[in-house]
Amino acid sequence: MRRTVLTALAAVVALVGSGVLGATAATPALALDNGLALTPQMGFNNWNLTQCGSQFNEAFVEGIADTLVSTGLKDAGYQYVNLDDCWAQSSRDSKGNLVPDKKRFPHGIKAVADYVHSKGLKFGLYTSAGTKTCNKAGFPGALGHEKQDAALWASWGVDYLKYDNCNNQGQDAKKRYTAMRDALAATGRPILYSICEWGQNQPWTWAAPVGNSWRTTGDINDSYSKMLSIYKANIKLGKYAGPGHWNDPDMLEVGNGGMSDTEYRSHFTLWAMMAAPLLIGSDIRKASAATLTILRNADVIALDQDAKGVQGNEISSSDGLHVIRKPLANGDTAVALFNETGKTAKISTTLSAVGVSSGTHTLTDLWSKAKSTSSGTISASVPAHGTVVYRVH
């Protein structure tokens, strides 16, 4: 499969200038050259909401596609409608092909993909790089069937593959994930390739020429403590990310009810600062106004989707108070002040510490939309578990 440096050299120059990488940074890794995920992918995945429940079916998926359009989420950038585990029957047909579950998807997967495409959206599917998927029912995995499965998915109109790691028979991860990369490329259809290897083999060190993104941790759940632990693991890996190849701290829980709106704003802001894929995992058909306000915040989404492709990095972290900076393509800098503690706290930094030139700068709070000016200090009183994020220009 043809590979290229893509925009990696430019990204490394930006990273060196930002302080994310030192001046002695190594030559950048080659990046997957499929022209996809030049900014982190955005869309929807059903797993955090439905898992394998009976509500996961054709009508549900089509309703999600409808709602992405009607709520303005599509216009905000969410374009993929992705099916997770349990879409298939428990065995292949006589020709070895995967078969959609007839009860969940009576018209087949291609019909659902066609419906999603008719809404101007893209369609994604899931399987595992093993003999079976992760669900205990044991749906067929793609290990040993890579070319056959990839060709079938392409014929159905699949635009995105999430490739899990269960039942892998102890086979080498790089070989398993590279085999599927090559199989997807051989179809001739652009298919975004999301590696879901849970960080077990440090994919950030080898997966840039293999996939468009790679999971860096185990699964998220709808709790502040889990979100926080994943943030702390993923924030350290910024030097490995860039256009076409992203660290993936797992899908969004915003709107599922296990966290407060303040915590969900932090979740969303931190994922955007880390240039993470933004995949909604809640029932947008029933979303509250507060949930939609978070998910549609164009100013925060713009940080995630910034063309420079730099994952933000912490410039200070002490006593649960974090300062994260992210340089942006137009010369602005995003600065997030995150309070992980249980009490309101003042968090401060300086313009020079975040790499902003001397002089007076405008600070726009991307949640309240309030504007202020500063020639030295960036500071805010940040509520417990909250995040204040500024665009400095």
Side-chain angles (χ1 to χ4, degrees):
M1 179 182 186
R2 185 170 64 90
R3 285 163 281 173
T4 184
V5 172
L6 195 64
T7 55
L9 284 172
V12 166
V13 170
L15 288 167
V16 170
S18 72
V20 177
L21 290 180
T24 58
T27 301
L30 295 173
L32 181 63
D33 184 24
N34 62 3
L36 302 173
L38 298 182
T39 59
Q41 60 265 37
M42 295 176 63
F44 174 90
N45 179 292
N46 67 281
W47 185 256
N48 289 349
L49 173 64
T50 69
Q51 298 198 13
C52 290
S54 60
Q55 69 270 44
F56 173 49
N57 57 30
E58 185 176 294
F60 168 86
V61 176
E62 293 180 355
I64 291 294
D66 292 341
T67 307
L68 284 170
V69 175
S70 66
T71 57
L73 288 164
K74 176 192 171 211
D75 290 340
Y78 299 93
Q79 62 174 327
Y80 289 97
V81 179
N82 296 342
L83 277 56
D84 214 283
D85 204 354
C86 306
W87 62 266
Q89 291 191 171
S90 58
S91 59
R92 295 172 179 269
D93 68 14
S94 60
K95 296 180 180 179
N97 286 319
L98 296 165
V99 181
D101 183 283
K102 290 181 170 59
K103 184 175 181 181
R104 294 185 191 273
F105 299 98
H107 297 98
I109 296 299
K110 185 179 186 305
V112 178
D114 288 347
Y115 186 89
V116 170
H117 291 151
S118 77
K119 299 295 178 178
L121 298 163
K122 296 181 179 179
F123 179 77
L125 214 54
Y126 161 102
T127 193
S128 184
T131 53
K132 295 183 183 298
T133 65
C134 294
N135 184 262
K136 62 184 179 180
F139 302 101
L143 187 63
H145 294 266
E146 292 88 355
K147 291 182 179 179
Q148 181 176 15
D149 289 354
L152 181 65
W153 298 327
S155 76
W156 287 346
V158 170
D159 304 298
Y160 186 121
L161 175 66
K162 176 183 174 182
Y163 203 33
D164 219 334
N165 196 36
C166 290
N167 299 298
N168 60 49
Q169 308 305 305
Q171 295 191 24
D172 181 78
K174 294 181 190 178
K175 291 181 179 178
R176 287 183 292 115
Y177 284 96
T178 300
M180 183 55 78
R181 175 202 69 186
D182 294 343
L184 293 173
T187 70
R189 182 177 180 83
I191 298 176
L192 191 152
Y193 186 24
S194 170
I195 293 173
C196 184
E197 181 269 355
W198 322 318
Q200 287 199 339
N201 296 278
Q202 297 186 321
W204 47 89
T205 65
W206 54 263
V210 181
N212 294 114
S213 63
W214 49 83
R215 281 276 298 281
T216 56
T217 69
D219 289 359
I220 197 170
N221 63 43
D222 190 19
S223 69
Y224 175 74
S225 60
K226 175 59 75 172
M227 184 275 289
L228 179 62
S229 69
I230 289 178
Y231 162 74
K232 289 183 174 182
N234 194 76
I235 190 65
K236 301 173 184 178
L237 303 175
K239 69 180 182 180
Y240 300 103
H245 57 288
W246 307 102
N247 292 313
D248 178 5
D250 206 3
M251 299 172 288
L252 296 170
E253 292 282 2
V254 176
N256 277 328
M259 290 185 256
S260 68
D261 288 338
T262 295
E263 291 164 345
Y264 283 139
R265 281 191 291 273
S266 287
H267 178 17
F268 194 72
T269 302
L270 295 173
W271 264 230
M273 290 292 290
M274 293 190 295
L278 299 179
L279 295 173
I280 299 168
S282 59
D283 194 345
I284 55 174
R285 302 170 304 170
K286 304 173 182 177
S288 68
T291 292
L292 289 174
T293 296
I294 294 170
L295 293 173
R296 292 186 305 212
N297 187 324
D299 293 325
V300 176
I301 290 171
L303 306 183
D304 182 78
Q305 296 292 296
D306 186 71
K308 195 163 192 171
V310 176
Q311 176 174 319
N313 69 298
E314 286 190 337
I315 62 167
S316 67
S317 176
S318 179
D319 299 322
L321 307 180
H322 306 260
V323 178
I324 308 119
R325 74 179 295 270
K326 178 178 168 65
L328 304 173
N330 72 341
D332 291 353
T333 299
V335 180
L337 311 176
F338 168 47
N339 175 12
E340 74 167 86
T341 77
K343 295 182 179 180
T344 297
K346 184 176 182 180
I347 304 178
S348 299
T349 187
T350 64
L351 292 172
S352 60
V354 299
V356 176
S357 61
S358 60
T360 300
H361 293 267
T362 299
L363 280 59
T364 303
D365 183 320
L366 301 187
W367 287 107
S368 74
K369 313 305 180 185
K371 293 182 182 293
S372 58
T373 58
S374 175
S375 57
T377 301
I378 301 173
S379 182
S381 178
V382 185
H385 300 177
T387 304
V388 173
V389 59
Y390 295 109
R391 189 171 185 126
V392 182
H393 47 98

